[in-house]
Amino acid sequence: MKRWELRFSGAGGQGLITGGIILAEAAILDGKNALQSQSYGPEARGGASKAEVIISDEEISFPKVGRCDLLLSLTQLSCDKYLETLKPGGILVIDDSVVTPERDDIQIFSIPILSTATTKLGKPMVANIVALGAIYSITNIVSQESLQNAVLSRVPKGTEELNKLALKEGYELVK
């Protein structure tokens, strides 16, 4: 496995920091090295939000993501802000509400993450889990079992079935 550097970006309240924590935990469950860091604006909801995850079989000596291998952007503002930090040959995963950028040196997946959470599942708060399912389908960066176990260990009690369904919907968005 190569070293993966991922950046999840969007607005506060979209669960991206929790998504980053879940992905890092899944990697650890798989026996990989992982770390997660985050930053967000002063607003509790609606301000800028960013989570970074590094996953590697090797020791991780520098804890910051520079040029990422995968960028998830759930808002236009976050895509505009972080697109240049995506490496050539990298993967861009954007919500289909975001205008697809013109870059021919990356793979782009424009998928209905937010509308799947809001309309199909009836809960906007599971958009992060839908996104994790899609990222799994694109990269196989962690095992499906570890991802589900990490999701279930982090979601509020009573929402386990909803989150398993959100993960499944995310898998299906990319197939």
Side-chain angles (χ1 to χ4, degrees), residues 105-158:
D105 64 336
I106 58 173
Q107 279 186 283
I108 300 174
F109 294 85
S110 176
I111 51 180
I113 296 167
L114 299 176
S115 66
T116 297
T118 302
T119 306
K120 194 163 189 180
L121 298 170
K123 296 284 182 187
M125 69 177 146
V126 296
N128 60 338
I129 307 302
V130 173
L132 286 174
I135 288 167
Y136 165 80
S137 288
I138 293 165
T139 65
N140 289 307
I141 194 167
V142 294
S143 70
Q144 194 170 5
E145 179 183 6
S146 291
L147 182 57
Q148 181 170 303
N149 288 339
V151 167
L152 296 178
S153 77
R154 291 285 174 175
V155 298
K157 296 293 178 220

Side-chain angles (χ1 to χ4, degrees), residues 18-82:
T18 301
I21 292 167
I22 288 169
L23 185 60
E25 186 173 299
I28 290 167
L29 290 172
D30 281 343
K32 298 172 182 164
N33 293 312
L35 62 83
Q36 184 274 335
S37 63
Q38 67 228 9
S39 69
Y40 40 89
E43 306 88 351
R45 298 226 180 263
S49 175
K50 173 182 74 167
E52 297 178 340
V53 181
I54 300 173
I55 299 172
S56 179
D57 289 328
E58 306 293 321
E59 184 176 313
I60 300 169
S61 57
F62 185 71
K64 286 291 190 187
V65 171
R67 304 271 291 165
C68 55
D69 300 292
L70 183 143
L71 173 63
L72 167 67
S73 290
L74 296 184
T75 65
Q76 188 66 54
L77 186 62
S78 67
C79 184
D80 294 345
K81 182 174 183 176
Y82 295 113

